[in-house]
Amino acid sequence: QVHLEESGGGLVQPGGSLTLSCTASGSIFSINAMAWYRQALGKERELVARIVSSGSIQSADSVKGRFTISRSDTKNTVNLQMNVLKPEDSAVYYCNVGGASTDFRLFDAWGQGTQVTVSS
């Protein structure tokens, strides 16, 4: 079993910053991809940013230059630094981690979601 614990969401004014953190724990042998997705009310879930074990990063055009994803393989954490936040960034943000468990089965784990609201 792999568990993800997210933190860092909240209410922020436009132009402000927030950092989301996600820590993976449990029967983890290795982690490949770590990512953040978001789902706004009435919309489909979309990829915000993704970082794989090689360090390669993929991010949505809408957040490039404003959001930065990073990971710590020693702590099994992934962070999302969000700057210059806009009202359209408001959504529930979900952490997603993929890898192999200690019994060498592949896993694809999701966090419970953390709300980010950008409003004045």
Side-chain angles (χ1 to χ4, degrees), residues 57-73:
I57 291 172
Q58 175 188 3
S59 59
D61 288 342
S62 59
V63 307
K64 285 181 179 176
R66 300 188 298 122
F67 291 11
T68 302
I69 189 170
S70 62
R71 62 188 278 173
S72 168
D73 290 332

Side-chain angles (χ1 to χ4, degrees), residues 22-25 28 31 34 70-78:
C22 173
T23 300
S25 61
I28 298 171
I31 292 177
M34 307 183 86
S70 62
R71 62 188 278 173
S72 168
D73 290 332
T74 57
K75 298 179 180 179
N76 289 342
T77 60
V78 58

Side-chain angles (χ1 to χ4, degrees), residues 3-82:
H3 175 71
L4 303 185
E5 188 70 34
E6 300 160 338
S7 63
L11 173 64
V12 64
Q13 292 186 342
S17 298
L18 279 176
T19 300
L20 305 182
S21 294
C22 173
T23 300
S25 61
S27 305
I28 298 171
F29 175 75
S30 65
I31 292 177
N32 179 22
M34 307 183 86
W36 287 95
Y37 287 76
R38 67 185 180 187
Q39 186 167 19
L41 198 61
K43 295 188 177 181
E44 293 188 354
R45 189 173 297 189
E46 63 174 357
L47 175 69
V48 177
R50 179 175 181 264
I51 182 169
V52 296
S53 56
S54 66
S56 178
I57 291 172
Q58 175 188 3
S59 59
D61 288 342
S62 59
V63 307
K64 285 181 179 176
R66 300 188 298 122
F67 291 11
T68 302
I69 189 170
S70 62
R71 62 188 278 173
S72 168
D73 290 332
T74 57
K75 298 179 180 179
N76 289 342
T77 60
V78 58
N79 295 324
L80 185 68
Q81 174 67 44
M82 305 185 292

Side-chain angles (χ1 to χ4, degrees), residues 2 4 33 37 96-100 105-110:
V2 177
L4 303 185
Y37 287 76
N96 172 244
V97 175
R105 294 173 184 255
L106 298 178
F107 68 84
D108 182 40
W110 289 87

